[in-house]
Amino acid sequence: MPTSPRRPRPGTGPGGPGAGADTGAAERPLRHETLRAPQDRVLVITWWDAPYDADLPELPEPDGGLITRPVHRWRFESLGGV
């Protein structure tokens, strides 16, 4: 069954998503994508093979000088294939 994508979050820290963190249920994400849009917007989507409420690592906070608006985080679950 497809798993929930991880909360999208701007920024990519050294080592990528989950680097150096103890993930418990999952060692590494199944997949991640980094997307860019105008006005320096970045969206990072990460898929984990873990339950919806699993304790998963967050990407590091971006340097304050790199952001122009607050970081947003969401967690989603898959509704299946289309």
Side-chain angles (χ1 to χ4, degrees):
M1 176 175 177
T3 59
S4 304
R6 189 65 183 121
R7 297 176 196 161
R9 191 166 163 209
T12 55
D22 179 17
T23 62
E27 289 296 317
R28 294 179 166 252
L30 295 174
R31 173 181 168 198
H32 76 272
E33 287 191 41
T34 303
L35 307 165
R36 185 174 69 183
Q39 300 176 356
D40 296 325
R41 291 188 170 121
V42 175
L43 173 68
V44 178
I45 302 174
T46 308
W47 288 261
W48 295 92
D49 185 14
Y52 181 81
D53 59 352
D55 184 24
L56 298 170
E58 294 287 348
L59 292 172
E61 287 293 325
D63 182 349
L66 297 175
I67 59 174
T68 57
R69 58 190 214 152
V71 171
H72 299 288
R73 302 175 196 174
W74 299 279
R75 186 174 282 202
F76 296 89
E77 62 184 328
S78 175
L79 298 177
V82 179

